[in-house]
Amino acid sequence: MILRKHQEKLEQALDTQAGVVLLGPRQVGKTTLAQDIAEQRGAVYLDLERNADRQILEEPDLYLDERMGQLVVIDEVQLMPGLFGTLRGQIDRRRRAGHRTGQFLLLGSASNTLLQQSAESLAGRVSYHELTPFILDEVGQGALQALWLRGGFPESFLAGSEHASLTWREDFIRTYLERDIPSFGLRIPAETLRRFWTMLAHEQGGLLNAARIAAGLGVSGQSVARYLDLLVDLMLVRRLPPWHANAGKRLVKSPKVYIRDAGLAHALLGLETEEALLGHPVVGGSWEGFCIENLIAAAPRGTEASFYRSSAGAEIDLILKLPSGALWAIEIKRTTAPKVTRGFHIAADELDVAERLLVYADAREVPGQGGLRAVPLSGAIDRLQTI
């Protein structure tokens, strides 16, 4: 059993808020984590994918009034959007009765859909948290290669063999395409969406070129934007925006796009073993995306992530704007040589960053020129978690 770092944050949120919304893709471990919390707190657990539990909430106030003061966990809450108005009234009534914290834990698999549904009804009444697949800090430095190859979905990471792990991920992708996405009422051909998803995997970490992708798929640019919005909403793809504060500079305006879980990217490309990955052209982009996901997950809540690239060639792979306003410039290279390009320092000077890091493939921390410090991924995670 791997202890999720997020459990402590959720426990703290429930101790201070009436409701907590936990977002994350399917099969990432939300239900397991919520059931652990429910067991400790004597809570009731409802899964809205089960008809019996949906029927329980056909008259939600009748049921929830009987659970006044008790934590209620509702899984896949986005399947009953009309429930949010009821939850608002329930939270307000419970507050008046003296039950101001730890009343509802809501789990959802589609971020924007759920946020839009709940934002107006539950504004100021809930806090939002995202559960990611396993990150390096949870599984340990010794499992870095396995985590990168297999990804962080628990069933994939803990599989008994590389083949079993790849098979699970292929089934996961098929299930999303054939069952989960149609359940949102979206009429997108599964084969077209798979081709789009695979094209993004081939371009892992590249600038989005919607026109080229549209031509390759034989669809319109608007369709490509809709497909991308969907995969971002399902928390399967990250759209990393460009830094935009320097209005006087000619900066790249297209976002970078990453398959968020490296294991899913490898499954889309049919890469089963580490040898196959290391021999594939996507290896650099895969490593960059893997590091970015770990770093963003480790950063303090409220951190904003972007990248920087100017027309003159100055570039930074990842900029983290911390809640304090300080900027961290992070370069990511799968190399043992602790060196960055001159363009990195030019960009860092332009932005007046507080910290310059190179995340590289060696295990040592070494100082570099211009205030740069080369660190392994685990070292960068440690630094972010101690802010």
Side-chain angles (χ1 to χ4, degrees), residues 25 133 147-153 169 172-173 193-206 208 213 227-228 231-232 234-240 256-269 282 285-294:
L147 184 63
W148 176 32
L149 175 65
R150 297 183 175 195
F153 284 91
R169 282 174 274 140
F172 175 88
I173 291 168
L193 193 56
R194 173 183 277 275
R195 287 174 57 206
F196 173 69
W197 205 353
T198 303
M199 291 174 77
L200 295 184
H202 277 285
E203 301 291 335
Q204 183 81 328
L208 177 65
I213 293 175
Y227 300 165
L228 182 60
L231 293 177
V232 170
L234 294 172
M235 291 165 284
L236 298 169
V237 167
R238 180 176 297 279
R239 184 167 39 202
L240 189 67
K256 281 186 175 183
V257 179
Y258 298 88
I259 308 297
R260 291 186 58 169
D261 182 74
L264 291 185
H266 302 155
L268 288 163
L269 300 173
V282 81
S286 172
W287 174 252
E288 182 178 314
F290 171 72
C291 291
I292 284 174
E293 287 303 314
N294 275 267

Short mmCIF file of all heavy atoms in Angstrom, two decimals, residues 25 133 147-153 169 172-173 193-206 208 213 227-228 231-232 234-240 256-269 282 285-294:
data_model
loop_
_atom_site.label_atom_id
_atom_site.label_comp_id
_atom_site.label_asym_id
_atom_site.label_seq_id
_atom_site.Cartn_x
_atom_site.Cartn_y
_atom_site.Cartn_z
N PRO A 25 -8.39 12.07 -12.87
CA PRO A 25 -8.89 11.14 -13.88
C PRO A 25 -9.34 9.83 -13.26
O PRO A 25 -9.02 9.52 -12.11
CB PRO A 25 -7.67 10.93 -14.80
CG PRO A 25 -6.49 11.29 -13.95
CD PRO A 25 -6.96 12.34 -13.01
N PRO A 133 -1.82 10.97 -10.66
CA PRO A 133 -1.18 9.66 -10.53
C PRO A 133 0.02 9.75 -9.59
O PRO A 133 0.46 10.84 -9.22
CB PRO A 133 -0.75 9.35 -11.97
CG PRO A 133 -1.70 10.13 -12.83
CD PRO A 133 -1.95 11.40 -12.07
N LEU A 147 8.46 4.30 -12.76
CA LEU A 147 7.40 5.31 -12.74
C LEU A 147 7.34 6.04 -14.07
O LEU A 147 6.26 6.31 -14.60
CB LEU A 147 7.64 6.29 -11.60
CG LEU A 147 6.56 7.36 -11.38
CD1 LEU A 147 5.24 6.72 -10.98
CD2 LEU A 147 7.01 8.37 -10.32
N TRP A 148 8.50 6.35 -14.63
CA TRP A 148 8.56 7.04 -15.92
C TRP A 148 8.00 6.14 -17.03
O TRP A 148 7.18 6.56 -17.83
CB TRP A 148 10.00 7.45 -16.21
CG TRP A 148 10.20 8.08 -17.56
CD1 TRP A 148 9.31 8.86 -18.26
CD2 TRP A 148 11.38 8.01 -18.36
NE1 TRP A 148 9.87 9.27 -19.44
CE2 TRP A 148 11.13 8.76 -19.54
CE3 TRP A 148 12.62 7.39 -18.19
CZ2 TRP A 148 12.08 8.89 -20.55
CZ3 TRP A 148 13.57 7.53 -19.19
CH2 TRP A 148 13.31 8.27 -20.36
N LEU A 149 8.43 4.89 -17.06
CA LEU A 149 8.00 3.99 -18.13
C LEU A 149 6.53 3.64 -18.01
O LEU A 149 5.78 3.70 -19.00
CB LEU A 149 8.84 2.70 -18.10
CG LEU A 149 8.43 1.61 -19.08
CD1 LEU A 149 8.63 2.08 -20.52
CD2 LEU A 149 9.20 0.31 -18.81
N ARG A 150 6.09 3.24 -16.82
CA ARG A 150 4.73 2.74 -16.64
C ARG A 150 3.71 3.82 -16.35
O ARG A 150 2.51 3.60 -16.50
CB ARG A 150 4.70 1.73 -15.49
CG ARG A 150 5.54 0.49 -15.71
CD ARG A 150 5.38 -0.46 -14.53
NE ARG A 150 6.05 -1.73 -14.73
CZ ARG A 150 5.82 -2.82 -14.00
NH1 ARG A 150 4.93 -2.76 -13.00
NH2 ARG A 150 6.47 -3.94 -14.24
N GLY A 151 4.18 4.99 -15.90
CA GLY A 151 3.24 6.02 -15.47
C GLY A 151 2.80 5.79 -14.05
O GLY A 151 3.14 4.79 -13.42
N GLY A 152 1.99 6.72 -13.54
CA GLY A 152 1.66 6.71 -12.12
C GLY A 152 0.28 6.18 -11.77
O GLY A 152 -0.09 6.23 -10.59
N PHE A 153 -0.50 5.70 -12.74
CA PHE A 153 -1.77 5.09 -12.37
C PHE A 153 -1.48 3.83 -11.55
O PHE A 153 -0.67 2.99 -11.96
CB PHE A 153 -2.60 4.75 -13.60
CG PHE A 153 -3.25 5.94 -14.23
CD1 PHE A 153 -2.61 6.66 -15.23
CD2 PHE A 153 -4.50 6.38 -13.81
CE1 PHE A 153 -3.19 7.78 -15.81
CE2 PHE A 153 -5.10 7.50 -14.37
CZ PHE A 153 -4.44 8.20 -15.37
N ARG A 169 -2.86 -0.30 -19.41
CA ARG A 169 -2.97 1.04 -19.97
C ARG A 169 -3.71 1.03 -21.31
O ARG A 169 -4.51 1.94 -21.60
CB ARG A 169 -1.57 1.65 -20.14
CG ARG A 169 -0.99 2.18 -18.83
CD ARG A 169 0.44 2.65 -18.99
NE ARG A 169 1.39 1.56 -18.85
CZ ARG A 169 2.48 1.40 -19.59
NH1 ARG A 169 2.75 2.26 -20.57
NH2 ARG A 169 3.29 0.39 -19.38
N PHE A 172 -7.28 0.76 -20.44
CA PHE A 172 -7.71 2.05 -19.88
C PHE A 172 -8.04 3.02 -21.00
O PHE A 172 -9.10 3.69 -20.98
CB PHE A 172 -6.59 2.60 -19.01
CG PHE A 172 -6.82 3.98 -18.43
CD1 PHE A 172 -7.48 4.14 -17.23
CD2 PHE A 172 -6.37 5.10 -19.10
CE1 PHE A 172 -7.68 5.41 -16.70
CE2 PHE A 172 -6.58 6.37 -18.59
CZ PHE A 172 -7.23 6.52 -17.38
N ILE A 173 -7.17 3.12 -21.99
CA ILE A 173 -7.39 4.03 -23.13
C ILE A 173 -8.64 3.62 -23.88
O ILE A 173 -9.49 4.46 -24.23
CB ILE A 173 -6.16 4.03 -24.05
CG1 ILE A 173 -4.97 4.70 -23.35
CG2 ILE A 173 -6.46 4.74 -25.37
CD1 ILE A 173 -3.63 4.49 -24.04
N LEU A 193 -10.63 10.11 -32.18
CA LEU A 193 -10.06 10.63 -30.95
C LEU A 193 -8.79 9.88 -30.57
O LEU A 193 -7.83 10.47 -30.08
CB LEU A 193 -11.08 10.55 -29.82
CG LEU A 193 -10.74 11.35 -28.56
CD1 LEU A 193 -10.50 12.82 -28.88
CD2 LEU A 193 -11.83 11.21 -27.52
N ARG A 194 -8.75 8.56 -30.83
CA ARG A 194 -7.52 7.80 -30.57
C ARG A 194 -6.39 8.30 -31.45
O ARG A 194 -5.26 8.47 -30.98
CB ARG A 194 -7.75 6.31 -30.81
CG ARG A 194 -6.46 5.50 -30.72
CD ARG A 194 -6.67 4.05 -31.03
NE ARG A 194 -7.14 3.32 -29.88
CZ ARG A 194 -6.35 2.81 -28.94
NH1 ARG A 194 -5.04 2.98 -29.01
NH2 ARG A 194 -6.84 2.15 -27.93
N ARG A 195 -6.67 8.55 -32.72
CA ARG A 195 -5.62 9.06 -33.62
C ARG A 195 -5.12 10.42 -33.14
O ARG A 195 -3.92 10.70 -33.16
CB ARG A 195 -6.16 9.15 -35.04
CG ARG A 195 -6.34 7.81 -35.74
CD ARG A 195 -7.03 7.98 -37.08
NE ARG A 195 -6.26 8.89 -37.94
CZ ARG A 195 -6.81 9.61 -38.91
NH1 ARG A 195 -8.12 9.57 -39.11
NH2 ARG A 195 -6.05 10.38 -39.65
N PHE A 196 -6.04 11.26 -32.69
CA PHE A 196 -5.65 12.58 -32.18
C PHE A 196 -4.77 12.43 -30.95
O PHE A 196 -3.72 13.08 -30.83
CB PHE A 196 -6.91 13.37 -31.85
CG PHE A 196 -6.64 14.69 -31.16
CD1 PHE A 196 -6.03 15.73 -31.83
CD2 PHE A 196 -7.00 14.87 -29.83
CE1 PHE A 196 -5.78 16.95 -31.20
CE2 PHE A 196 -6.76 16.07 -29.19
CZ PHE A 196 -6.14 17.11 -29.87
N TRP A 197 -5.19 11.60 -30.02
CA TRP A 197 -4.45 11.36 -28.79
C TRP A 197 -3.05 10.82 -29.12
O TRP A 197 -2.05 11.23 -28.52
CB TRP A 197 -5.24 10.35 -27.94
CG TRP A 197 -5.01 10.39 -26.47
CD1 TRP A 197 -4.10 11.13 -25.77
CD2 TRP A 197 -5.74 9.65 -25.48
NE1 TRP A 197 -4.20 10.88 -24.43
CE2 TRP A 197 -5.21 9.98 -24.23
CE3 TRP A 197 -6.80 8.73 -25.55
CZ2 TRP A 197 -5.69 9.42 -23.04
CZ3 TRP A 197 -7.27 8.18 -24.37
CH2 TRP A 197 -6.72 8.51 -23.14
N THR A 198 -2.97 9.91 -30.08
CA THR A 198 -1.69 9.33 -30.48
C THR A 198 -0.80 10.38 -31.14
O THR A 198 0.42 10.41 -30.92
CB THR A 198 -1.91 8.15 -31.44
OG1 THR A 198 -2.75 7.18 -30.80
CG2 THR A 198 -0.59 7.50 -31.82
N MET A 199 -1.39 11.26 -31.94
CA MET A 199 -0.60 12.34 -32.55
C MET A 199 0.00 13.24 -31.48
O MET A 199 1.15 13.68 -31.60
CB MET A 199 -1.48 13.14 -33.51
CG MET A 199 -1.88 12.37 -34.76
SD MET A 199 -3.06 13.26 -35.79
CE MET A 199 -1.99 14.45 -36.58
N LEU A 200 -0.77 13.53 -30.43
CA LEU A 200 -0.24 14.34 -29.33
C LEU A 200 0.92 13.62 -28.64
O LEU A 200 1.91 14.25 -28.23
CB LEU A 200 -1.33 14.65 -28.31
CG LEU A 200 -2.49 15.52 -28.76
CD1 LEU A 200 -3.44 15.80 -27.60
CD2 LEU A 200 -2.00 16.82 -29.37
N ALA A 201 0.82 12.29 -28.51
CA ALA A 201 1.90 11.52 -27.88
C ALA A 201 3.17 11.60 -28.72
O ALA A 201 4.28 11.71 -28.18
CB ALA A 201 1.47 10.06 -27.71
N HIS A 202 3.04 11.54 -30.04
CA HIS A 202 4.22 11.66 -30.91
C HIS A 202 4.86 13.03 -30.79
O HIS A 202 6.08 13.17 -30.99
CB HIS A 202 3.82 11.42 -32.37
CG HIS A 202 3.75 9.98 -32.76
ND1 HIS A 202 4.87 9.21 -32.98
CD2 HIS A 202 2.69 9.15 -32.96
CE1 HIS A 202 4.52 7.99 -33.30
NE2 HIS A 202 3.20 7.91 -33.30
N GLU A 203 4.06 14.05 -30.47
CA GLU A 203 4.57 15.42 -30.36
C GLU A 203 4.74 15.84 -28.92
O GLU A 203 4.71 17.03 -28.61
CB GLU A 203 3.59 16.38 -31.07
CG GLU A 203 3.38 16.09 -32.53
CD GLU A 203 4.61 16.38 -33.36
OE1 GLU A 203 5.43 17.21 -32.93
OE2 GLU A 203 4.74 15.79 -34.44
N GLN A 204 4.94 14.90 -28.01
CA GLN A 204 5.00 15.18 -26.57
C GLN A 204 5.93 16.36 -26.29
O GLN A 204 7.11 16.35 -26.60
CB GLN A 204 5.50 13.93 -25.83
CG GLN A 204 5.56 14.04 -24.33
CD GLN A 204 4.21 13.83 -23.66
OE1 GLN A 204 3.19 14.16 -24.21
NE2 GLN A 204 4.22 13.29 -22.46
N GLY A 205 5.35 17.41 -25.70
CA GLY A 205 6.14 18.58 -25.35
C GLY A 205 6.33 19.56 -26.48
O GLY A 205 7.03 20.56 -26.31
N GLY A 206 5.70 19.32 -27.63
CA GLY A 206 5.84 20.24 -28.75
C GLY A 206 4.80 21.34 -28.72
O GLY A 206 3.80 21.26 -28.00
N LEU A 208 1.68 23.34 -29.96
CA LEU A 208 0.46 22.90 -30.62
C LEU A 208 0.37 23.52 -32.01
O LEU A 208 0.39 24.74 -32.16
CB LEU A 208 -0.76 23.30 -29.78
CG LEU A 208 -2.12 22.95 -30.40
CD1 LEU A 208 -2.29 21.44 -30.52
CD2 LEU A 208 -3.25 23.57 -29.58
N ILE A 213 -2.42 19.23 -37.36
CA ILE A 213 -3.15 18.09 -36.80
C ILE A 213 -4.50 17.94 -37.49
O ILE A 213 -4.92 16.82 -37.82
CB ILE A 213 -3.33 18.27 -35.29
CG1 ILE A 213 -1.97 18.18 -34.57
CG2 ILE A 213 -4.28 17.21 -34.73
CD1 ILE A 213 -2.04 18.45 -33.08
N TYR A 227 -11.49 18.57 -29.39
CA TYR A 227 -10.87 17.33 -28.90
C TYR A 227 -9.87 17.64 -27.79
O TYR A 227 -9.81 16.94 -26.78
CB TYR A 227 -10.15 16.59 -30.03
CG TYR A 227 -11.01 16.16 -31.20
CD1 TYR A 227 -10.43 15.78 -32.40
CD2 TYR A 227 -12.39 16.15 -31.12
CE1 TYR A 227 -11.19 15.39 -33.48
CE2 TYR A 227 -13.17 15.76 -32.20
CZ TYR A 227 -12.57 15.38 -33.38
OH TYR A 227 -13.34 15.00 -34.45
N LEU A 228 -9.07 18.69 -28.01
CA LEU A 228 -8.06 19.04 -27.02
C LEU A 228 -8.72 19.50 -25.72
O LEU A 228 -8.31 19.10 -24.62
CB LEU A 228 -7.14 20.13 -27.56
CG LEU A 228 -6.00 20.57 -26.64
CD1 LEU A 228 -5.08 19.40 -26.31
CD2 LEU A 228 -5.19 21.69 -27.28
N LEU A 231 -9.82 16.41 -23.72
CA LEU A 231 -8.77 15.65 -23.03
C LEU A 231 -8.14 16.45 -21.90
O LEU A 231 -7.72 15.89 -20.89
CB LEU A 231 -7.70 15.22 -24.04
CG LEU A 231 -8.17 14.20 -25.08
CD1 LEU A 231 -7.04 13.89 -26.08
CD2 LEU A 231 -8.65 12.91 -24.42
N VAL A 232 -8.10 17.78 -22.04
CA VAL A 232 -7.63 18.63 -20.94
C VAL A 232 -8.64 18.56 -19.79
O VAL A 232 -8.27 18.45 -18.61
CB VAL A 232 -7.43 20.08 -21.42
CG1 VAL A 232 -7.20 21.02 -20.25
CG2 VAL A 232 -6.24 20.15 -22.39
N LEU A 234 -10.64 16.18 -19.04
CA LEU A 234 -10.57 14.86 -18.39
C LEU A 234 -9.26 14.66 -17.64
O LEU A 234 -9.00 13.58 -17.10
CB LEU A 234 -10.77 13.76 -19.43
CG LEU A 234 -12.16 13.71 -20.07
CD1 LEU A 234 -12.18 12.71 -21.22
CD2 LEU A 234 -13.21 13.35 -19.04
N MET A 235 -8.41 15.69 -17.63
CA MET A 235 -7.13 15.68 -16.92
C MET A 235 -6.18 14.61 -17.46
O MET A 235 -5.37 14.04 -16.73
CB MET A 235 -7.35 15.52 -15.41
CG MET A 235 -7.99 16.74 -14.80
SD MET A 235 -8.68 16.49 -13.14
CE MET A 235 -10.18 15.60 -13.56
N LEU A 236 -6.28 14.35 -18.77
CA LEU A 236 -5.40 13.40 -19.43
C LEU A 236 -4.31 14.11 -20.24
O LEU A 236 -3.27 13.51 -20.55
CB LEU A 236 -6.22 12.50 -20.38
CG LEU A 236 -7.29 11.65 -19.68
CD1 LEU A 236 -8.20 11.01 -20.71
CD2 LEU A 236 -6.65 10.60 -18.79
N VAL A 237 -4.53 15.36 -20.58
CA VAL A 237 -3.58 16.15 -21.36
C VAL A 237 -3.36 17.48 -20.65
O VAL A 237 -4.31 18.05 -20.08
CB VAL A 237 -4.11 16.38 -22.79
CG1 VAL A 237 -3.31 17.46 -23.52
CG2 VAL A 237 -4.08 15.09 -23.59
N ARG A 238 -2.12 17.95 -20.64
CA ARG A 238 -1.81 19.28 -20.09
C ARG A 238 -1.52 20.24 -21.24
O ARG A 238 -0.70 19.96 -22.10
CB ARG A 238 -0.61 19.23 -19.15
CG ARG A 238 -0.29 20.63 -18.57
CD ARG A 238 0.83 20.60 -17.55
NE ARG A 238 0.50 19.80 -16.39
CZ ARG A 238 -0.25 20.21 -15.37
NH1 ARG A 238 -0.75 21.44 -15.39
NH2 ARG A 238 -0.48 19.42 -14.35
N ARG A 239 -2.19 21.38 -21.19
CA ARG A 239 -1.93 22.46 -22.13
C ARG A 239 -1.13 23.51 -21.36
O ARG A 239 -1.70 24.29 -20.60
CB ARG A 239 -3.27 23.00 -22.65
CG ARG A 239 -3.16 24.07 -23.70
CD ARG A 239 -4.52 24.32 -24.37
NE ARG A 239 -5.61 24.26 -23.40
CZ ARG A 239 -6.88 24.01 -23.73
NH1 ARG A 239 -7.22 23.79 -24.97
NH2 ARG A 239 -7.82 24.00 -22.79
N LEU A 240 0.18 23.50 -21.55
CA LEU A 240 1.06 24.42 -20.80
C LEU A 240 1.11 25.75 -21.53
O LEU A 240 1.61 25.83 -22.67
CB LEU A 240 2.46 23.82 -20.67
CG LEU A 240 3.43 24.54 -19.75
CD1 LEU A 240 2.99 24.43 -18.29
CD2 LEU A 240 4.85 23.97 -19.89
N LYS A 256 2.31 24.61 -25.25
CA LYS A 256 2.89 23.28 -25.38
C LYS A 256 1.86 22.27 -24.90
O LYS A 256 1.06 22.56 -24.01
CB LYS A 256 4.15 23.15 -24.53
CG LYS A 256 5.41 23.77 -25.11
CD LYS A 256 6.59 23.43 -24.23
CE LYS A 256 7.89 23.91 -24.80
NZ LYS A 256 9.04 23.48 -23.95
N VAL A 257 1.89 21.07 -25.47
CA VAL A 257 0.91 20.05 -25.12
C VAL A 257 1.63 18.78 -24.68
O VAL A 257 2.57 18.33 -25.35
CB VAL A 257 -0.03 19.76 -26.29
CG1 VAL A 257 -1.05 18.69 -25.92
CG2 VAL A 257 -0.76 21.03 -26.72
N TYR A 258 1.20 18.22 -23.56
CA TYR A 258 1.79 17.00 -23.01
C TYR A 258 0.69 16.01 -22.66
O TYR A 258 -0.35 16.40 -22.11
CB TYR A 258 2.57 17.28 -21.72
CG TYR A 258 3.74 18.21 -21.85
CD1 TYR A 258 3.57 19.59 -21.72
CD2 TYR A 258 5.03 17.71 -22.06
CE1 TYR A 258 4.66 20.45 -21.82
CE2 TYR A 258 6.12 18.58 -22.17
CZ TYR A 258 5.93 19.93 -22.05
OH TYR A 258 7.00 20.79 -22.15
N ILE A 259 0.90 14.72 -22.95
CA ILE A 259 0.10 13.68 -22.32
C ILE A 259 0.54 13.67 -20.86
O ILE A 259 1.73 13.48 -20.56
CB ILE A 259 0.35 12.30 -22.96
CG1 ILE A 259 0.18 12.36 -24.47
CG2 ILE A 259 -0.57 11.26 -22.33
CD1 ILE A 259 -1.18 12.71 -24.95
N ARG A 260 -0.37 13.89 -19.93
CA ARG A 260 0.03 14.14 -18.55
C ARG A 260 0.69 12.93 -17.89
O ARG A 260 1.63 13.09 -17.12
CB ARG A 260 -1.17 14.60 -17.72
CG ARG A 260 -1.65 15.99 -18.13
CD ARG A 260 -2.73 16.52 -17.22
NE ARG A 260 -2.30 16.59 -15.83
CZ ARG A 260 -2.99 17.20 -14.88
NH1 ARG A 260 -4.14 17.80 -15.18
NH2 ARG A 260 -2.56 17.21 -13.64
N ASP A 261 0.22 11.74 -18.18
CA ASP A 261 0.84 10.54 -17.62
C ASP A 261 1.76 9.94 -18.67
O ASP A 261 1.31 9.56 -19.76
CB ASP A 261 -0.23 9.52 -17.21
CG ASP A 261 0.38 8.29 -16.57
OD1 ASP A 261 0.83 8.37 -15.41
OD2 ASP A 261 0.43 7.25 -17.25
N ALA A 262 3.05 9.86 -18.35
CA ALA A 262 4.02 9.34 -19.31
C ALA A 262 3.68 7.92 -19.74
O ALA A 262 3.87 7.54 -20.90
CB ALA A 262 5.42 9.39 -18.72
N GLY A 263 3.16 7.11 -18.83
CA GLY A 263 2.81 5.74 -19.16
C GLY A 263 1.75 5.66 -20.24
O GLY A 263 1.78 4.78 -21.11
N LEU A 264 0.76 6.57 -20.20
CA LEU A 264 -0.26 6.59 -21.24
C LEU A 264 0.34 7.00 -22.58
O LEU A 264 -0.03 6.45 -23.63
CB LEU A 264 -1.40 7.54 -20.86
CG LEU A 264 -2.30 7.13 -19.70
CD1 LEU A 264 -3.44 8.12 -19.54
CD2 LEU A 264 -2.85 5.72 -19.90
N ALA A 265 1.26 7.96 -22.57
CA ALA A 265 1.94 8.34 -23.80
C ALA A 265 2.68 7.16 -24.40
O ALA A 265 2.62 6.91 -25.61
CB ALA A 265 2.90 9.50 -23.54
N HIS A 266 3.36 6.40 -23.55
CA HIS A 266 4.11 5.24 -24.04
C HIS A 266 3.17 4.16 -24.57
O HIS A 266 3.48 3.49 -25.56
CB HIS A 266 5.00 4.68 -22.93
CG HIS A 266 5.95 5.69 -22.38
ND1 HIS A 266 6.49 5.63 -21.11
CD2 HIS A 266 6.47 6.83 -22.93
CE1 HIS A 266 7.29 6.66 -20.91
NE2 HIS A 266 7.29 7.40 -21.99
N ALA A 267 2.01 3.99 -23.92
CA ALA A 267 1.04 3.00 -24.40
C ALA A 267 0.48 3.40 -25.76
O ALA A 267 0.30 2.55 -26.65
CB ALA A 267 -0.09 2.84 -23.38
N LEU A 268 0.20 4.67 -25.95
CA LEU A 268 -0.30 5.15 -27.24
C LEU A 268 0.72 4.92 -28.35
O LEU A 268 0.36 4.74 -29.52
CB LEU A 268 -0.65 6.63 -27.14
CG LEU A 268 -1.91 6.96 -26.34
CD1 LEU A 268 -1.93 8.43 -25.96
CD2 LEU A 268 -3.17 6.60 -27.12
N LEU A 269 2.00 4.91 -27.99
CA LEU A 269 3.08 4.70 -28.96
C LEU A 269 3.52 3.24 -29.02
O LEU A 269 4.42 2.91 -29.80
CB LEU A 269 4.28 5.60 -28.61
CG LEU A 269 4.01 7.10 -28.62
CD1 LEU A 269 5.20 7.87 -28.09
CD2 LEU A 269 3.64 7.57 -30.02
N VAL A 282 10.69 10.09 -29.11
CA VAL A 282 9.91 10.82 -28.13
C VAL A 282 10.57 10.85 -26.76
O VAL A 282 10.07 11.51 -25.84
CB VAL A 282 8.49 10.19 -28.01
CG1 VAL A 282 8.51 8.96 -27.11
CG2 VAL A 282 7.47 11.21 -27.48
N GLY A 285 11.04 14.36 -25.07
CA GLY A 285 9.76 14.98 -24.72
C GLY A 285 9.05 14.24 -23.60
O GLY A 285 8.41 14.85 -22.75
N SER A 286 9.18 12.90 -23.61
CA SER A 286 8.56 12.10 -22.55
C SER A 286 9.18 12.42 -21.20
O SER A 286 8.47 12.60 -20.21
CB SER A 286 8.71 10.61 -22.88
OG SER A 286 8.29 9.82 -21.78
N TRP A 287 10.50 12.49 -21.14
CA TRP A 287 11.18 12.81 -19.89
C TRP A 287 10.81 14.21 -19.42
O TRP A 287 10.56 14.44 -18.23
CB TRP A 287 12.69 12.69 -20.08
CG TRP A 287 13.50 13.13 -18.90
CD1 TRP A 287 14.26 14.25 -18.81
CD2 TRP A 287 13.63 12.46 -17.64
NE1 TRP A 287 14.85 14.33 -17.57
CE2 TRP A 287 14.50 13.24 -16.84
CE3 TRP A 287 13.11 11.28 -17.12
CZ2 TRP A 287 14.84 12.88 -15.54
CZ3 TRP A 287 13.46 10.92 -15.83
CH2 TRP A 287 14.31 11.71 -15.05
N GLU A 288 10.73 15.16 -20.35
CA GLU A 288 10.37 16.52 -19.98
C GLU A 288 8.96 16.57 -19.40
O GLU A 288 8.73 17.19 -18.35
CB GLU A 288 10.45 17.41 -21.23
CG GLU A 288 10.14 18.88 -20.97
CD GLU A 288 10.28 19.71 -22.22
OE1 GLU A 288 11.29 19.57 -22.94
OE2 GLU A 288 9.36 20.53 -22.49
N GLY A 289 8.02 15.90 -20.06
CA GLY A 289 6.65 15.89 -19.55
C GLY A 289 6.54 15.21 -18.21
O GLY A 289 5.81 15.65 -17.32
N PHE A 290 7.27 14.11 -18.03
CA PHE A 290 7.28 13.38 -16.76
C PHE A 290 7.77 14.28 -15.63
O PHE A 290 7.17 14.35 -14.56
CB PHE A 290 8.17 12.15 -16.91
CG PHE A 290 8.45 11.41 -15.62
CD1 PHE A 290 7.47 10.67 -14.99
CD2 PHE A 290 9.72 11.44 -15.05
CE1 PHE A 290 7.73 9.99 -13.81
CE2 PHE A 290 10.00 10.76 -13.88
CZ PHE A 290 8.99 10.03 -13.25
N CYS A 291 8.86 14.99 -15.87
CA CYS A 291 9.40 15.88 -14.84
C CYS A 291 8.45 17.03 -14.55
O CYS A 291 8.24 17.41 -13.39
CB CYS A 291 10.76 16.42 -15.28
SG CYS A 291 12.08 15.18 -15.33
N ILE A 292 7.86 17.61 -15.59
CA ILE A 292 6.95 18.74 -15.41
C ILE A 292 5.77 18.35 -14.53
O ILE A 292 5.38 19.08 -13.61
CB ILE A 292 6.49 19.29 -16.77
CG1 ILE A 292 7.63 20.11 -17.40
CG2 ILE A 292 5.22 20.14 -16.64
CD1 ILE A 292 7.34 20.58 -18.81
N GLU A 293 5.18 17.17 -14.78
CA GLU A 293 4.04 16.73 -13.97
C GLU A 293 4.44 16.55 -12.51
O GLU A 293 3.69 16.93 -11.60
CB GLU A 293 3.46 15.44 -14.53
CG GLU A 293 2.69 15.62 -15.82
CD GLU A 293 1.56 16.62 -15.70
OE1 GLU A 293 0.80 16.56 -14.71
OE2 GLU A 293 1.44 17.48 -16.58
N ASN A 294 5.60 15.97 -12.26
CA ASN A 294 6.07 15.78 -10.89
C ASN A 294 6.33 17.11 -10.21
O ASN A 294 6.00 17.30 -9.03
CB ASN A 294 7.33 14.92 -10.89
CG ASN A 294 7.04 13.44 -10.90
OD1 ASN A 294 6.95 12.80 -9.86
ND2 ASN A 294 6.85 12.89 -12.08
#
